[in-house]
Amino acid sequence: MAAQNLQSVPAEPTAGTSEAAEAEAQAHFDRVMAEDSRIEPKDWMPAAYRKTLLRQISQHAHSEIIGMQPEANWISRAPSLKRKAILMAKVQDEAGHGLYLYSAAETLGQTRDEMMDALIAGKARYSSIFNYPALTWADMGAIGWLVDGAAICNQVPLCRASYGPTAAPWSGFARRSPSTSARASRSCLSSPTERPSRSRWPRTP
């Protein structure tokens, strides 16, 4: 339902729009910014503002989707059923964050296919920390602790973002990140006494 509610593209002045109308739209935008209020998808916005939003939202969405992959690789090898359940919940949470952010970017007129094509072509970015290999179970705790800790620092200011469809999810992300980071820090402390499961990925025929 959340994705369906976000499917609208903001209005842009057409070629025939008068300078007075565009100036009025700019004045309304400036007034909303000055009041620390929210811009909604159907509101007029400057092209540079929309371009910056698309870059920020797509980078965050890509980071969520790419970031869940090293953790997903360790689900079957987590040292206990409890650790598997925690890791599965974290991966599902990150997937949901990414999908919501892709939907938010679509309200700005860019399709999900276009965002994925830009990522594959190297035109879009994501957090480079996820390029490092996670070779041991201790890496899982370190990733969760340090990366989520950094995410808290980034997301708390974003809760006051001026674009409505992103301000709400970022508030939710910021509320959940501290508990995730705390679980990861406990995993770091217990990792010296925990051993990964011996289960392996199923062999391909």
Side-chain angles (χ1 to χ4, degrees), residues 12-183:
E12 285 292 322
T14 60
T17 301
S18 66
E19 292 183 3
E22 186 169 352
E24 183 180 354
Q26 180 69 57
H28 172 74
F29 177 86
D30 294 340
R31 185 165 59 254
V32 171
M33 295 292 103
E35 294 172 352
D36 198 21
S37 189
R38 298 282 184 268
I39 293 294
E40 297 301 332
K42 292 183 179 180
D43 294 338
W44 179 88
M45 62 188 71
Y49 176 83
R50 178 160 59 174
K51 181 179 179 181
T52 300
L53 278 176
L54 281 170
R55 179 181 59 78
Q56 292 177 334
I57 297 171
S58 68
Q59 179 175 344
H60 192 170
H62 294 326
S63 298
E64 295 283 357
I65 299 302
I66 298 297
M68 73 183 189
Q69 295 180 21
E71 294 169 323
N73 289 338
W74 273 95
I75 290 175
S76 65
R77 294 175 287 167
S80 67
L81 184 60
K82 179 181 179 181
R83 295 296 184 196
K84 292 179 192 293
I86 291 174
L87 204 53
M88 287 178 64
K90 190 171 187 298
V91 168
Q92 290 174 334
D93 206 35
E94 289 168 347
H97 292 173
L99 294 175
Y100 194 104
L101 288 166
Y102 283 135
S103 295
E106 287 175 330
T107 67
L108 295 164
Q110 189 170 47
T111 67
R112 196 168 304 188
D113 287 342
E114 290 173 338
M115 286 183 277
M116 295 306 299
D117 289 343
L119 175 64
I120 294 170
K123 297 178 181 178
R125 298 288 185 265
Y126 59 90
S127 297
S128 61
I129 184 65
F130 301 119
N131 290 331
Y132 292 90
L135 302 179
T136 69
W137 172 247
D139 291 330
M140 287 298 93
I143 289 173
W145 186 16
L146 301 177
V147 175
D148 283 343
I152 294 169
C153 296
N154 288 332
Q155 290 167 4
V156 169
L158 291 174
C159 295
R160 301 188 299 273
S162 58
Y163 190 55
T166 57
W170 272 323
S171 296
F173 302 167
R175 284 194 301 270
R176 289 189 291 271
S177 291
S179 60
T180 304
S181 181
R183 285 195 296 267

